[in-house]
């Protein structure tokens, strides 16, 4: 019945009140229902929210009557001043449908190309879809910044739209296709020539300057001294084969310190709009027997314990840390416990070779010559004896490692590969 009835009519009043100087304006508005129309028989609670209480309707009516009594150039005096703070929110992220609609408005692409565009964005990991919303990945941000900086005309919104129009003119016969391609290639080849003059380090500096608030959210230029060597500066770097990105010391390979790696997980945590902080080496204490300093550090493969400071040409003893919920809970006692590995449990009764307990990021393992058996995570490694270690070495999870078949070595033992 409601869809056959007249539309409702609402009376609206908007008032602007300013000070004599005109540099401060206050805005107020009020409304009241003048004609119910279809609302006399139907109330859309989903569209209008919860129904208004009688007290709320009375307050709206009073506001409307108060504003309706005002006339142009009436003098108004403040009675009470209530301070309120409001924050603007950024535009909501695009969904696939919203992005396609925006491309249609800009004249980019055609209905037959929209599906392939969305597929390429996801296949190349430029964006990820979470709850039907597109989230840009750091790789996508970098590619966009690179193209906008070095191929400004090609990356401009209007370029694709204009090219679509030119191709339509070619199809209609009003534009000669060879001239169109010649003109395009002359401009595009110039951009390619200019871009080829940029080496990787120059691109890294450009991207670092572009994404400085994201890469170093809590550090300024003066406080980006490498905490490991105290000589270099923390910089944004692209891995050798362009597959990863990290924050590391610019004195590499002399200093191999890496503050943190940048991956897709960094963008997954973007819901809070925060960037993970860089982890600086932490002094846990000193070893009782040698009085050497023991540090907690972070590398490209996770956290680890190191004895002594980094010294050129010296190899420091290190111990990886397995999965730890709270990295700040590690103490000097925990570090000393990890540094005792690999630990000799005894000699194997068959060949008198040592049986070792080793520790890696994956956990504890028993090693005998070229045999490696994992210690079950349900077992306490402190209670593993030589007898129990021998049982692990005869279990089904034993792995063999060594020289593959085909390599010529007379002293090599035959290896059975699993």
């Amino acid at each position: 019945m409601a869809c056959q009835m007249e539309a409702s009519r609402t009376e609206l009043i908007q008032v602007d009140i300013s000070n004599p100087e005109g540099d401060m304006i206050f805005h107020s508005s009020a409304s009241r229902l003048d004609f119910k129309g279809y609302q006399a028989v139907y109330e859309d609670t989903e569209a209008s929210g919860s129904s208004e209480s009688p007290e709320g309707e009375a307050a709206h009516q009073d506001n409307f009557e108060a504003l309706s009594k005002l006339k142009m150039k009436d003098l108004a005096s403040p009675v009470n001043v209530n301070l309120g703070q409001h924050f603007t929110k950024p535009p909501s992220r695009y969904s696939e449908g919203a992005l396609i609609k925006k491309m249609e408005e800009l004249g980019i692409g055609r209905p037959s190309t929209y599906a392939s565009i969305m597929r390429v964005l996801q296949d190349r990991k430029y964006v990820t879809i979470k709850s039907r919303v597109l989230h840009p990945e750091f790789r996508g941000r970098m590619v966009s910044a690179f193209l906008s900086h070095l191929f400004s005309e090609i990356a401009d919104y209007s370029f694709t739209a204009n090219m679509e129009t030119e191709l339509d003119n070619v199809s209609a016969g009003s534009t000669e296709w060879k001239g169109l391609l010649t003109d395009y290639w002359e401009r595009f080849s110039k951009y390619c020539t200019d871009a080829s003059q940029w080496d990787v380090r120059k691109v890294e500096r450009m991207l670092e300057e572009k994404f400085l608030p994201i890469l170093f959210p809590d550090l300024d230029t003066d406080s980006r001294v490498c905490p490991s060597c105290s000589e270099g500066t923390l910089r944004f770097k692209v891995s050798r084969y362009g597959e990863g990105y990290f924050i590391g010391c610019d004195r590499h390979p002399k200093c191999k310190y890496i503050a943190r790696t940048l991956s897709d997980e960094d963008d997954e945590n973007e819901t809070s709009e925060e960037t993970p902080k860089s982890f600086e080496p932490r002094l846990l204490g000193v070893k009782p027997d040698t009085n050497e300093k023991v540090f907690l550090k972070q590398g490209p493969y996770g956290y680890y314990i190191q004895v002594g400071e980094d010294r050129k040409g010296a190899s420091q003893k290190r111990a990886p840390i397995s999965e730890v919920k709270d990295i700040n809970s590690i103490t000097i006692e925990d570090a000393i416990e990890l540094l005792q590995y690999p630990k000799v449990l005894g000699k194997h009764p068959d060949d008198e070779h040592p049986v070792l307990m080793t520790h890696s990021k994956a956990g504890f393992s028993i090693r005998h010559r070229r045999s490696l058996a994992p210690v079950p995570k349900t077992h306490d490694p402190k209670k593993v004896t030589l007898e129990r270690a021998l049982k692990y070495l005869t279990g089904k999870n034993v792995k063999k490692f060594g020289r593959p078949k085909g390599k010529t070595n007379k002293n090599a033992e035959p290896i059975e590969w699993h």
Side-chain angles (χ1 to χ4, degrees), residues 107-158:
I108 298 175
R110 299 170 182 246
S112 59
T113 62
Y114 292 144
S116 62
I117 290 175
M118 302 307 302
R119 185 170 59 253
V120 168
L121 291 177
Q122 298 176 62
D123 291 345
R124 298 184 180 179
K125 297 182 180 181
Y126 294 155
V127 299
T128 54
I129 298 181
K130 306 170 188 175
S131 301
R132 297 186 296 180
V133 177
L134 300 176
H135 292 262
E137 297 289 356
F138 189 72
R139 175 179 295 182
R141 297 177 189 271
M142 288 201 307
V143 172
S144 178
F146 177 81
L147 294 177
S148 298
H149 191 86
L150 296 177
F151 295 84
S152 56
E153 179 187 358
I154 310 300
D156 189 78
Y157 291 141
S158 60

Side-chain angles (χ1 to χ4, degrees), residues 43-99:
E43 183 178 1
D44 190 357
T45 57
E46 293 184 359
S48 60
S50 59
S51 57
E52 194 72 46
S53 62
E55 294 80 5
E57 293 181 357
H60 285 170
Q61 184 68 22
D62 295 341
N63 292 339
F64 184 86
E65 292 178 358
L67 294 181
S68 62
K69 294 178 181 179
L70 296 176
K71 297 180 180 178
M72 293 286 292
K73 298 185 180 181
D74 279 354
L75 295 178
S77 300
V79 178
N80 293 317
V81 177
N82 297 320
L83 298 179
Q85 189 176 17
H86 301 276
F87 296 94
T88 57
K89 294 183 179 180
S92 58
R93 297 191 180 278
Y94 286 108
S95 63
E96 288 192 50
L99 181 58

Side-chain angles (χ1 to χ4, degrees), residues 145-146 149 198 202-210:
F146 177 81
H149 191 86
W198 284 55
K202 193 173 181 180
V203 174
E204 289 175 349
R205 297 292 81 79
M206 183 270 293
L207 294 175
E208 180 182 297
E209 182 179 353
K210 175 72 175 180

